[in-house]
Amino acid sequence: MTQDTGSDPARDAAPTEGEARAAAALAASGIEHTITRHGRVGSLEEAAAARGVEPQDIIKTLVVRRAEDDFLFVLVPGGREISWPKLRALLGVNRMSMPDAAVARAVTGYERGTITPFGSTTALPVVADTTVRGRLVSIGAGAHGVAATAQSDDVLRVLDAQVADVTEPA
């Protein structure tokens, strides 16, 4: 199901390749979800309002490098950020980093701001913060201003996410 909100020429444009890939992966996952196309927004609060959720229910998908060619997704709720000591301890590594935009795109097929585990060109492990559990969430869907809203426990299950305490308030 797709829901358009607001008036934005980008929202009315044909889906991008990334959006189409994410939508296909979401459909194939079998989870109940709604796609919202709202166009670009300027803040977490604007995105939440456009998607009909609270800011903490927006889930950022971050690509993290734990070794030269070893990446993973970390799902971080709005208003929180990765706790690097907690994430390093969970994964048993001493160093981690965020790849630059070009590397993130090469690994996932998505540009920054549109990254989602759904439809990534490379299947990567997923780590989700414990605060993601048990609620309706909105996660990016492959294009700017496009999101999928679904029950978090369904999202975590289909992504086979490892759930752990890996964030702290921003």
Side-chain angles (χ1 to χ4, degrees):
M1 175 182 186
T2 300
Q3 170 185 346
D4 289 334
T5 59
S7 175
D8 184 307
R11 184 205 75 222
D12 299 327
T16 65
E17 183 272 333
E19 180 183 348
R21 196 166 12 97
L26 280 155
S29 77
I31 64 172
E32 188 174 319
H33 66 280
T34 301
I35 300 289
T36 303
R37 298 179 85 207
H38 55 75
R40 290 186 183 259
V41 292
S43 69
L44 177 66
E45 291 74 20
E46 283 181 38
R51 298 174 188 185
V53 299
E54 295 298 316
Q56 66 269 17
D57 297 326
I58 301 253
I59 305 300
K60 301 173 282 188
T61 301
L62 303 177
V63 179
V64 173
R65 179 193 331 248
R66 65 178 150 184
E68 181 59 33
D69 287 319
D70 185 9
F71 300 89
L72 63 136
F73 290 120
V74 180
L75 304 183
V76 179
R80 298 188 69 84
E81 60 188 25
I82 291 174
S83 167
W84 293 102
K86 290 178 183 179
L87 187 59
R88 285 192 307 267
L90 175 72
L91 300 173
V93 297
N94 293 325
R95 291 188 56 199
M96 302 185 86
S97 64
M98 301 280 289
D100 67 27
V103 171
R105 183 177 184 118
V107 170
T108 66
Y110 296 117
E111 65 180 270
R112 275 210 184 132
T114 72
I115 295 173
T116 177
F118 292 100
S120 174
T121 54
T122 306
L124 300 175
V126 177
V127 173
D129 189 65
T130 54
T131 60
V132 172
R133 281 190 171 141
R135 58 193 166 122
L136 190 68
V137 296
S138 180
I139 190 166
H144 291 286
V146 181
T149 303
Q151 288 298 321
S152 62
D153 293 343
D154 291 339
V155 170
L156 298 174
R157 177 181 46 78
V158 300
L159 294 175
D160 193 24
Q162 180 178 6
V163 180
D165 177 14
V166 294
T167 69
E168 58 194 17

